[in-house]
Amino acid sequence: MTGAKRKKKSVLWSKMHTPHCEDFKQWCRRRLPILEWATCYNLKENLLPDTVSGIMLAVQQVTQGLAFAVLSSVHPVFGLYGSLFPAIIYAVFGMGRHVSTGTFALTSLISANAVERLVPLSSQNLTVQSNTSVLGLSDFEMQRISVAAAVSFLGGVIQVAMFVLHLGSATFLLTEPVISAMTTGAATHVVTSQVKYLLGMKIPYISGPLGFFYIIAASFTCYCTNMENTYGLEVVGHIPKGIPPPRVPPMRILSAVITEAFGVAFVGYVASLALAQGSAKKFKYSVDDNQELLAHGLSNVISSFFFCIPSAAAMGRTAGLYSTGARTQVACLISCVFVLMVIYAAGPLLYWLPMCVLASIIVVGLKGMLIQFRDLRKYWNVDKIDWGIWVSTYIFSICFAANVGLLFGVVCTVAIVIGRFPRAKTLSIKNMKEMEFKLKREVDDETLHQVKIILINNPLVFLNAKKFRADLMNIIQRENTSSQPHDEISKCEQNTLLNSLSNGNCNEEATQPCLNEKCSLILDCSGLTFFDSSGVSMLVEVYTDSNSKSVDVSFAHCTASLIRAMKYCGNLDPEKPIFFESVPAALSSIHSNKSLSKLSDHSEM
């Protein structure tokens, strides 16, 4: 009797705790993405391309690490550490499979503001020149890296706090024009800061409002008047070997670097998230915006104990992973092995590397951001309001700072959209039902086979673009799995895009519409009163993704401006008509195409 009771008690105990164990496993997989991809890593297919990409990435990591450390006003060796630790941490917690995290120009420039303010170069003469026990570096160099590490620590704490508050879901406010303009403006700041190294001139550090123009004026004056008397070639100098033991960043100066910490947290995250989302879109996988906050936050917090400058994902290195064929995060981990070899063995060989070469590396690394000036033409053709937002955000970024430009762009975008929404009109339910009735009478049942008509009855802007895509895919998936007969047209539906302004995330792998056979989708845009570049990009993305899944997409009742914008943004087939004056015209086109395909099949037989 006692044994039976014990057995019953153990069964109840296991039932009570099994769900909790499963929940814990799911939580670990969600917060530690490495557990998801490492367990299914294919050595035979992925190891070779990841190794090649890792070697090429290591070259970029080393050179850019040295360059961005100089940009951050610290000793170059600390850039090597910043190329190692953040990359390892992001590989564990990050979801971007083709994102290279490490030293970054924009965060380095922001960090330099705090370093130069709290430990200016003029204080070097006042400091007793003695070598510390850390790598034989001077007290002056250690004071500077302590400030940079404090910025990294506090910036990472802010990002982790944003993760806890689930502020990653608010990233839909960061529109493509705002991010493009902000990063371009910050890149312009970085380029001007390297003029003194490119031209071999000694110019004092200048920051603050309108600092961009001060630098330009000082550089032009020095160059034209030949005020520089020393023409000696400045080199990197001694690079000590090894990694020092970890040390807690100085907590007493956190209040003094809070402005730079917020800049690192916001600017670094926005730039990194844009690269992660671009990578996910290109290679067809999903990225959790909130998880990226945790990954970059921990990368900054943990790395700050190892004398690292603030980190983020870099566009140039990420593009390098694309071009060299990287498959997974293993490429970044392999690059870390080679960076470690440089730190412990090859560091002293970098002594004679000229500073002008590092400046050139910085400028070339920013090429991807600087060529975003080309986006102006796209925004002018798609939505002139977005063009105005881009220009104004860029001006604020170069006149003040990147974080100020980012804040201005977000506020300006939200204000404009709020002003435009009261003018929005929607179609009534009555008119929609009448349209459906006419279609059923005018077209035979065969034509209506596997045709879905969806009415877009709201504006399509950055606030609801992602949710529009999620709603659309859910409608297609639900209709496809329903028990409704195939010879009956799917019911016209109104999507509730603006009932919730939450950021809808659609998992590419979870939505596979019309898997059984070829089907068609008609998007009635008669209720699409206005749109922006984000909305147009989402329509083009829906069209492209649907075609890749054997779904023909047609657009009805499109305005001339919408047709022009979609043709400009997307690589649409000019020989295939997808824009029609009405829904019946789109159905007639589908019917004629099916008739031609049937005729072709009979002729082949």
Side-chain angles (χ1 to χ4, degrees):
M1 187 71 178
T2 306
K5 288 184 177 179
R6 288 180 178 177
K7 185 176 181 180
K8 185 176 181 180
K9 187 176 181 180
S10 63
V11 170
L12 291 173
W13 180 266
S14 62
K15 287 183 178 180
M16 291 174 60
H17 285 75
T18 300
H20 296 288
C21 293
E22 292 298 326
D23 292 342
F24 178 73
K25 289 180 180 179
Q26 292 179 3
W27 183 88
C28 288
R29 287 181 176 273
R30 189 168 65 252
R31 298 305 171 210
L32 296 171
I34 191 173
L35 299 177
E36 192 72 28
W37 60 263
T39 54
C40 57
Y41 186 78
N42 192 323
L43 288 172
K44 186 176 180 180
E45 294 183 2
N46 299 333
L47 184 59
L48 181 58
D50 282 344
T51 301
V52 174
S53 297
I55 295 174
M56 300 301 295
L57 177 61
V59 176
Q60 289 182 296
Q61 289 274 47
V62 170
T63 54
Q64 289 189 0
L66 296 173
F68 294 152
V70 174
L71 180 62
S72 191
S73 298
V74 299
H75 193 280
V77 71
F78 299 117
L80 296 179
Y81 306 153
S83 300
L84 176 65
F85 293 103
I88 297 174
I89 298 168
Y90 182 82
V92 176
F93 294 95
M95 300 185 70
R97 302 174 191 172
H98 303 80
V99 175
S100 174
T101 301
T103 55
F104 182 47
L106 306 189
T107 54
S108 296
L109 185 64
I110 296 173
S111 174
N113 293 334
V115 172
E116 293 288 349
R117 188 181 73 252
L118 299 179
V119 191
L121 193 61
S122 58
S123 66
Q124 185 176 12
N125 298 327
L126 302 177
T127 305
V128 179
Q129 295 298 316
S130 61
N131 292 335
T132 64
S133 59
V134 181
L135 302 176
L137 297 176
S138 65
D139 290 333
F140 175 75
E141 294 291 354
M142 295 309 301
Q143 290 175 11
R144 287 201 148 194
I145 187 57
S146 296
V147 174
V151 174
S152 178
F153 174 82
L154 187 55
V157 169
I158 293 172
Q159 289 174 330
V160 173
M162 293 169 65
F163 160 77
V164 173
L165 297 174
H166 293 277
L167 294 183
S169 59
T171 54
F172 67 93
L173 294 173
L174 304 172
T175 62
E176 182 183 336
V178 172
I179 295 176
S180 173
M182 182 273 294
T183 53
T184 306
T188 307
H189 272 291
V190 175
V191 171
T192 56
S193 71
Q194 297 305 295
V195 170
K196 59 182 180 181
Y197 295 114
L198 289 170
L199 302 180
M201 298 184 296
K202 288 183 172 60
I203 302 175
Y205 184 83
I206 302 173
S207 64
L210 305 180
F212 166 77
F213 301 102
Y214 295 149
I215 289 175
I216 293 294
S219 302
F220 182 76
T221 303
C222 290
Y223 183 77
C224 293
T225 60
N226 195 23
M227 294 174 62
E228 189 64 48
N229 298 320
T230 304
Y231 294 95
L233 184 64
E234 190 176 359
V235 296
V236 171
H238 175 64
I239 302 292
K241 292 182 180 180
I243 299 176
R247 178 184 295 181
V248 179
M251 301 297 167
R252 66 183 184 279
I253 65 172
L254 292 183
S255 59
V257 300
I258 190 169
T259 302
E260 288 80 11
F262 271 102
V264 165
F266 291 129
V267 174
Y269 172 67
V270 168
S272 301
L273 181 64
L275 292 176
Q277 291 177 339
S279 170
K281 182 178 179 180
K282 182 179 180 66
F283 295 98
K284 306 298 181 184
Y285 60 88
S286 61
V287 169
D288 185 350
D289 298 348
N290 213 49
Q291 179 65 23
E292 289 297 291
L293 272 174
L294 177 64
H296 289 288
L298 293 178
S299 296
N300 278 310
V301 170
I302 298 175
S303 299
S304 66
F305 289 81
F306 294 91
F307 305 94
C308 293
I309 59 179
S311 64
M315 181 180 291
R317 297 195 302 269
T318 301
L321 287 175
Y322 291 172
S323 60
T324 53
R327 302 287 181 84
T328 66
Q329 294 95 321
V330 172
C332 295
L333 295 176
I334 291 175
S335 73
C336 291
V337 175
F338 288 94
V339 172
L340 198 62
M341 293 171 60
V342 172
I343 292 175
Y344 278 97
L349 301 178
L350 302 173
Y351 182 97
W352 297 107
L353 185 63
M355 294 295 292
C356 61
V357 173
L358 293 184
S360 301
I361 291 172
I362 292 175
V363 174
V364 173
L366 295 172
K367 175 186 175 183
M369 294 183 182
L370 294 174
I371 63 176
Q372 290 179 137
F373 280 108
R374 297 185 303 185
D375 293 345
L376 283 171
R377 182 180 178 184
K378 179 183 74 172
Y379 296 131
W380 181 263
N381 286 277
V382 175
D383 185 16
K384 291 180 175 58
I385 292 180
D386 279 348
W387 182 90
I389 292 174
W390 196 104
V391 172
S392 58
T393 302
Y394 175 78
I395 292 175
F396 266 75
S397 296
I398 64 172
C399 291
F400 299 99
N403 51 346
V404 176
L406 179 64
L407 179 61
F408 170 81
V410 171
V411 172
C412 184
T413 303
V414 173
I416 290 175
V417 170
I418 291 175
R420 296 171 75 182
F421 262 117
R423 296 180 299 169
K425 298 179 181 179
T426 59
L427 295 182
S428 65
I429 300 295
K430 179 181 179 181
N431 290 340
M432 188 177 63
K433 288 184 177 179
E434 289 178 356
M435 180 184 65
E436 180 185 353
F437 176 74
K438 290 179 181 178
L439 292 177
K440 286 184 177 180
R441 291 187 59 186
E442 292 176 0
V443 188
D444 60 1
D445 292 338
E446 185 180 1
T447 306
L448 300 178
H449 180 69
Q450 284 290 330
V451 176
K452 296 176 176 62
I453 306 172
I454 297 177
L455 174 66
I456 304 176
N457 64 337
N458 283 301
L460 191 56
V461 294
F462 72 95
L463 289 174
N464 58 5
K466 288 185 178 180
K467 192 172 189 301
F468 162 76
R469 186 182 187 283
D471 287 349
L472 182 61
M473 292 302 178
N474 287 335
I475 289 173
I476 296 175
Q477 188 179 25
R478 184 173 67 250
E479 292 291 338
N480 188 57
T481 56
S482 66
S483 58
Q484 187 177 1
H486 288 298
D487 59 349
E488 185 177 336
I489 187 170
S490 300
K491 207 172 184 179
C492 293
E493 301 192 36
Q494 284 189 336
N495 62 68
T496 56
L497 291 177
L498 300 181
N499 289 345
S500 171
L501 294 182
S502 61
N503 183 22
N505 289 320
C506 180
N507 191 334
E508 296 280 352
E509 298 174 357
T511 57
Q512 297 289 340
C514 302
L515 294 175
N516 297 326
E517 57 181 288
K518 191 85 171 178
C519 63
S520 301
L521 172 67
I522 299 176
L523 295 180
D524 184 358
C525 300
S526 55
L528 183 56
T529 52
F530 67 86
F531 54 86
D532 63 4
S533 59
S534 299
V536 174
S537 298
M538 192 58 66
L539 284 176
V540 173
E541 183 180 339
V542 166
Y543 172 79
T544 304
D545 291 348
S546 299
N547 278 345
S548 65
K549 297 171 184 176
S550 300
V551 180
D552 287 332
V553 180
S554 302
F555 299 89
H557 294 113
C558 296
T559 61
S561 58
L562 178 61
I563 295 174
R564 183 173 61 254
M566 289 187 64
K567 287 182 177 179
Y568 190 87
C569 283
N571 187 18
L572 306 179
D573 187 1
E575 298 181 357
K576 181 180 180 182
I578 61 172
F579 300 104
F580 300 93
E581 295 181 355
S582 62
V583 174
L587 284 169
S588 299
S589 176
I590 294 172
H591 176 63
S592 60
N593 289 337
K594 285 188 176 183
S595 300
L596 290 175
S597 62
K598 285 184 177 181
L599 182 61
S600 176
D601 292 339
H602 284 301
S603 63
E604 290 179 0
M605 293 176 62

